[in-house]
Amino acid sequence: VRLGEEVHKDMIAVPISPEVPMAVVGALEYFSRYPKPKNPKQLVDHRCLVLSLPSHGAVNEWRFTRRGKNSSIRVNGPLTFNTIDLIKDAAVSGMGLAYLPLDQVQENLDAGLLSRVLDTWMQPLPAYHLYYPNRRHSSPAFRLIVDALKHR
């Protein structure tokens, strides 16, 4: 299971979730020291909290869209993490800006611990997909699981 975008030639992808809304967030304390970015290019002037993707050997790109044009920005920052929870905790502590799934930070936004920026630029991540090899003879149990996930 992973975010769906590219499917290898011999694989089948079945979406099992809706798209994932994202948010760029920072603590009010952070914004007392740094101005809120008005566009993604201004992120170079900010302390961005970076998610490392060891399986890809790279850091997560932040995705934006404006007037139908999609763009990805590879941000830099003083801190790199390998879990969303650590990034969220660092953002709440005022250590920098975070790019996280909206559902992961909604409670902190509602409580006033975090504030969103760049809302008009946000682009959701693709849905999660179940990937499996394109084989003609999958087991009946596996077919039941795939069919159930397709019709959620």
Side-chain angles (χ1 to χ4, degrees):
V1 174
R2 61 181 164 171
L3 292 174
E5 286 186 313
E6 295 180 21
V7 180
H8 294 290
K9 188 172 91 176
D10 62 339
M11 300 292 279
I12 295 173
V14 177
I16 58 172
S17 79
E19 291 182 323
V20 181
M22 298 297 289
V24 175
V25 297
L28 298 180
E29 189 269 328
Y30 176 83
F31 292 123
S32 71
R33 294 179 285 135
Y34 300 93
K36 290 184 177 183
K38 293 183 181 9
N39 64 63
K41 290 180 182 177
Q42 293 178 345
L43 291 171
V44 298
D45 299 324
H46 284 271
R47 299 171 54 89
C48 296
L49 305 170
V50 179
L51 174 64
S52 173
L53 300 170
S55 61
H56 291 89
V59 296
N60 191 36
E61 291 182 338
W62 294 18
R63 300 174 189 204
F64 300 96
T65 190
R66 188 65 164 202
R67 296 182 184 100
K69 288 182 67 177
N70 296 335
S71 63
S72 296
I73 297 176
R74 192 168 300 237
V75 298
N76 292 309
L79 301 170
T80 301
F81 301 93
N82 61 4
T83 69
I84 288 173
D85 288 334
L86 292 174
I87 293 173
K88 181 172 56 173
D89 290 347
V92 169
S93 297
M95 295 180 180
L97 297 180
Y99 174 78
L100 295 169
L102 181 58
D103 68 339
Q104 296 290 314
V105 294
Q106 189 63 58
E107 188 175 309
N108 298 103
L109 291 166
D110 294 343
L113 299 173
L114 292 173
S115 177
R116 288 180 73 174
V117 294
L118 303 175
D119 286 356
T120 60
W121 294 82
M122 296 314 301
Q123 166 187 349
L125 294 181
Y128 280 95
H129 286 66
L130 171 67
Y131 287 88
Y132 60 95
N134 184 9
R135 294 189 188 132
R136 291 180 185 248
H137 305 293
S138 49
S139 72
F142 182 74
R143 290 291 339 141
L144 280 172
I145 291 170
V146 170
D147 290 343
L149 290 171
K150 279 183 182 179
H151 296 78
R152 278 181 20 114

